[in-house]
Amino acid sequence: IAHGHGVRLHLFRHSVQAAFRAEMAGRYGAALRYLCTAKYQHRAMTPSLLAEDGWSGEDAVGRTLAERQHEIVEALAHTLAATWKLDARSTRVLEHLIERLLDDPDSAQPSSPSSRLLHDLERIVLEGQTEYYRLQPIIWLGSGGRRPLRLGLPFQGSLKALRALNAARIRLDRLPWSGAEVAYFSAPLRTLGDLIGQRLR
């Protein structure tokens, strides 16, 4: 039993550390997935731990995980809003969407629809912040260094963000949610599509 508990504790710590590293790298979707994994691992350990302490109720670790999840949900939604100049109402709906996705027990699984949708939202942020370029050493050498070595590709980030957004909209339509929920959560994604299209134009 002690060995099994030790393994579970090791896996829990690994998930928490992975969530921290992902958050520091700005990969908020991945951080949320790792936190979900940590929450389920912690719940699996909690009954035996509480029995040992003779206490029942929500423990400090559980509260801390819930608080960190809420903070990262806000970080993902607000960073997405800042990157694409999204309005306050759409940002709140995006927060609700992310929280709704995290209610799905499968959100801890990388291949689940809810987890993939979180990944799409993360990609929309990252692509909007990434500068793409192409190296042209032959042209640079031929010009004696007068032509730039790097050729900027200003449309690439927006195009890739638009592809990630389209994937997110398709995944949302396929989730087993009510039509009213899908319509509610689709609104900020449509607004995002308009904003990305404006930047491309």
Side-chain angles (χ1 to χ4, degrees):
I1 296 175
H3 174 71
H5 177 69
V7 170
R8 288 195 297 270
L9 184 60
H10 172 75
L11 293 173
F12 170 75
R13 287 174 176 166
H14 173 77
S15 297
V16 171
Q17 292 168 355
F20 175 77
R21 288 193 298 268
E23 182 184 1
M24 291 300 99
R27 296 179 55 241
Y28 297 123
L32 288 170
R33 179 169 60 79
Y34 285 123
L35 266 185
C36 282
T37 302
K39 280 173 54 180
Y40 290 120
Q41 291 167 336
H42 175 254
R43 287 174 187 171
M45 294 187 296
T46 298
S48 59
L49 292 174
L50 294 182
E52 291 174 9
D53 294 339
W55 184 81
S56 62
E58 186 181 16
D59 66 309
V61 174
R63 289 195 302 272
T64 300
L65 290 173
E67 289 168 2
R68 289 302 305 138
Q69 178 174 294
H70 179 70
E71 290 169 2
I72 298 174
V73 167
E74 285 190 339
L76 176 54
H78 287 263
T79 305
L80 203 158
T83 301
W84 295 104
K85 307 297 186 286
L86 198 61
D87 62 273
R89 184 184 183 283
S90 296
T91 304
R92 286 194 298 273
V93 177
L94 273 179
E95 285 187 46
H96 298 159
L97 169 59
I98 297 166
E99 289 168 349
R100 178 70 173 84
L101 291 169
L102 295 173
D103 287 340
D104 181 359
D106 290 338
S107 58
Q109 304 300 322
S111 59
S112 70
S114 52
S115 178
R116 296 304 301 168
L117 184 44
L118 282 173
H119 176 73
D120 293 333
L121 295 175
E122 175 187 290
R123 292 309 311 169
I124 296 168
V125 173
L126 295 177
E127 295 298 352
Q129 299 174 342
T130 301
E131 294 184 6
Y132 287 91
Y133 62 88
R134 182 176 65 210
L135 293 177
Q136 43 184 12
I138 296 176
I139 295 176
W140 178 72
L141 286 171
S143 68
R146 291 187 299 274
R147 299 284 295 276
L149 176 61
R150 298 198 313 179
L151 176 66
L153 302 173
F155 304 120
Q156 285 300 308
S158 296
L159 286 171
K160 291 186 176 187
L162 194 58
R163 282 198 291 271
L165 175 62
N166 289 336
R169 294 172 72 169
I170 291 171
R171 289 188 217 282
L172 177 60
D173 286 338
R174 292 177 177 173
L175 288 173
W177 295 354
S178 69
E181 278 187 301
V182 171
Y184 174 67
F185 292 130
S186 293
L189 299 185
R190 284 196 302 272
T191 303
L192 268 173
D194 293 339
L195 293 170
I196 296 173
Q198 288 173 16
R199 184 179 295 189
L200 280 168
R201 286 191 292 276

